[in-house]
Amino acid sequence: MHQPLSLNELQALLGRAFSATALGEWALLLGCLLLAGLITVILSRVKERGGLSVLFGERVVDGALFPLLAVGLALAARPLLKVWGLAPAVFKLVLPLLVSLAVIRLVARVLAAAWPSSTVIKAVERLGSWLIWIGAVLWVTGLWPVMMDELDDIGWKFGNVHLTLRNLIEGGSTAALVLVVALWISSAIEAQLLRRESLDLSMRKIAANAIRSLLLFVGLLFAMSAAGIDLTALGVLGGALGVGLGFGLQKLAANYVSGFVILAERSLRIGDMVKVDNFEGRVTDIKTRYTVIRSLGGKEAIVPNELLITQRVENSSLADPRVLLSTVVQVAYGCDVEAVMGRLTAAVAEVPRVLSAPGPAVQLSQFAADGLELTIYFWIMDPENGSGGVRSDVNLAILRTLQGLGVDIPYPQRVVHQAGLPPAKVDIPQPDGARTPPA
């Protein structure tokens, strides 16, 4: 497995692999595969899995753990062939294929877990799988060193640096593998942090984003070093990047910095009811660049984080999730207004979503032209469920109470004067079919 095979060696191995003497080797390899599958199934049942897992996948054996265990067990069992006096033939042919399968599964599951619904990532997975399988076939058939020698002859010279196509392929492959491993580690740490309910959700999000950014940056440095890029050139790159952030990427950098400030200050938290730029809704997610706000009607607004820092934001649940609502009703002048206010307070207090502490209150707010105007105030604890439903329930309770007390809600009446005729009151149809008696 460590060195590619020549064509003569490949023919000899194929002849030995399908001979009667290789039955023991086939049995040992099959035992390694069965043991790897059994360990994977047992671990999947012991460990509670949620969502798409890198190690277990969707159907347990289609994750990265099964081929990784198969490779490890095959390498551990290979010395037994010498003890039994068998020359390895099957293992030399199968091990490169198992390694290729493990790399493909690892890359595919990590990318699928990081970007689950990206069509571009799926295309990259398929392309990478084909390239890895082609490389495995070239290795087994002994064509790999021939191809590498040919690619080594294709090169370019940039000043004192000489680059060949072989260097680019090897460096790019190493860089991609290092970045995938870094992304896997960051995704695993992020999943563990988000499951820790003892910490505030905003702090978990900022820790997860910071760890992912740090690991990807470190992985990028290792990848560049593995690709043969001089890291001292990053000084010039950093200066150019700073100039770019100062001019062309100013807004983007401001949004990213604002995202970390929001998460650190916890001025906005996931689940808060906010109103930003006349858009009201619940905060469903806080990214490093933008915040997602979902209205009660189902619409979602993508708000740049800089807007939440520089403009006025109304937060209904920052320090206290309780929200004060009100409704208005008029009663006739001849009723016992104090008794009506007491009965309305008791009726509104029985509405399910209305809080009892602080309880509802009724105030005589105005002496209107047609009746006494009463304002009913009440508190709710769940503004994310909307205010229209609870206000409707309160109004229905008020209407039933007034009907039970026999208190009328006054209707406006108007007097019409006609030129040359004495004043006369005009009958105005009422909602219940009654008519205003003439004067």
Side-chain angles (χ1 to χ4, degrees):
M1 180 183 141
H2 300 287
Q3 296 294 333
L5 303 174
S6 63
L7 293 178
N8 295 330
E9 291 175 341
L10 178 61
Q11 293 176 357
L13 285 178
L14 289 175
R16 293 203 310 268
F18 295 99
S19 63
T21 58
L23 292 178
E25 196 174 355
W26 280 108
L28 183 60
L29 180 61
L30 181 61
C32 293
L33 295 177
L34 292 177
L35 183 59
L38 180 61
I39 295 175
T40 304
V41 172
I42 294 175
L43 291 179
S44 67
R45 293 179 179 179
V46 172
K47 178 179 174 57
E48 181 180 357
R49 297 184 292 123
L52 182 61
S53 174
V54 174
L55 292 178
F56 300 103
E58 297 176 351
R59 295 180 296 274
V60 181
V61 294
D62 65 340
L65 182 60
F66 172 69
L68 289 175
L69 285 176
V71 172
L73 292 174
L75 291 175
R78 188 176 179 180
L80 295 177
L81 298 176
K82 296 181 179 180
V83 177
W84 296 343
L86 297 176
V90 178
F91 275 70
K92 285 187 177 181
L93 295 174
V94 176
L95 274 178
L97 301 180
L98 288 178
V99 172
S100 301
L101 179 61
V103 174
I104 291 174
R105 290 281 179 84
L106 178 62
V107 173
R109 294 307 171 201
V110 170
L111 295 180
W115 297 281
S117 58
S118 176
T119 57
V120 177
I121 295 301
K122 293 180 179 179
V124 172
E125 291 177 12
R126 289 192 292 268
L127 178 60
S129 300
W130 278 105
L131 293 177
I132 293 174
W133 281 124
I134 292 173
V137 172
L138 292 175
W139 181 278
V140 172
T141 57
L143 297 177
W144 181 267
V146 178
M147 187 188 71
M148 288 292 104
D149 292 339
E150 294 294 332
L151 294 178
D152 203 15
D153 295 334
I154 304 174
W156 303 270
K157 189 174 183 180
F158 299 95
N160 296 328
V161 179
H162 180 72
L163 292 178
T164 63
L165 193 56
R166 177 177 180 173
N167 299 137
L168 294 179
I169 293 177
E170 292 178 347
S173 302
T174 306
L177 185 59
V178 170
L179 289 178
V180 166
V181 173
L183 186 61
W184 180 21
I185 297 174
S186 65
S187 299
I189 296 176
E190 181 179 0
Q192 292 293 330
L193 285 175
L194 294 180
R195 281 198 291 265
R196 294 178 62 88
E197 298 181 356
S198 58
L199 299 176
D200 184 77
L201 183 57
S202 298
M203 297 304 297
R204 283 181 277 166
K205 290 287 291 183
I206 189 173
N209 292 333
I211 290 175
R212 168 171 286 196
S213 301
L214 178 61
L215 287 178
L216 287 179
F217 178 71
V218 174
L220 180 61
L221 292 181
F222 276 105
M224 294 176 64
S225 178
I229 300 176
D230 189 5
L231 296 182
T232 57
L234 292 179
V236 179
L237 179 62
L241 183 61
V243 174
L245 290 176
F247 292 96
L249 302 179
Q250 182 179 3
K251 288 292 184 180
L252 184 62
N255 286 322
Y256 274 98
V257 174
S258 300
F260 282 102
V261 171
I262 291 173
L263 291 171
E265 291 182 344
R266 291 188 291 177
S267 56
L268 287 180
R269 297 164 298 184
I270 296 177
D272 287 354
M273 285 295 298
V274 297
K275 184 176 182 181
V276 182
D277 197 19
N278 293 326
F279 186 88
E280 186 174 5
R282 184 171 64 91
V283 178
T284 58
D285 199 2
I286 301 177
K287 301 289 187 180
T288 53
R289 190 184 64 83
Y290 61 87
T291 297
V292 181
I293 301 177
R294 181 180 179 85
S295 69
L296 298 178
K299 296 181 179 180
E300 289 186 339
I302 308 299
V303 182
N305 289 328
E306 184 188 10
L307 187 66
L308 302 176
I309 295 293
T310 58
Q311 292 195 5
R312 178 173 174 263
V313 178
E314 297 180 10
N315 193 335
S316 302
S317 51
L318 176 59
D320 192 346
R322 295 178 297 183
V323 176
L324 178 65
L325 302 177
S326 64
T327 186
V328 178
V329 67
Q330 287 189 1
V331 296
Y333 272 100
C335 68
D336 187 356
V337 65
E338 293 184 356
V340 170
M341 292 171 62
R343 294 292 297 274
L344 290 180
T345 303
V348 173
E350 296 178 357
V351 177
R353 291 177 57 191
V354 174
L355 297 179
S356 58
V362 180
Q363 298 180 0
L364 178 60
S365 55
Q366 185 179 357
F367 296 98
D370 301 309
L372 298 172
E373 183 177 281
L374 302 179
T375 303
I376 297 91
Y377 297 96
F378 56 95
W379 295 82
I380 62 174
M381 180 67 81
D382 52 351
E384 67 274 5
N385 293 328
S387 59
V390 66
R391 184 176 277 111
S392 175
D393 294 340
V394 168
N395 288 334
L396 289 174
I398 293 172
L399 182 60
R400 288 193 295 265
T401 303
L402 294 179
Q403 290 176 347
L405 295 174
V407 177
D408 294 331
I409 299 177
Y411 299 97
Q413 299 181 5
R414 299 293 180 265
V415 177
V416 179
H417 297 275
Q418 296 181 0
L421 295 178
K425 185 174 292 186
V426 181
D427 295 343
I428 301 176
Q430 304 299 323
D432 56 357
R435 304 180 68 84
T436 303

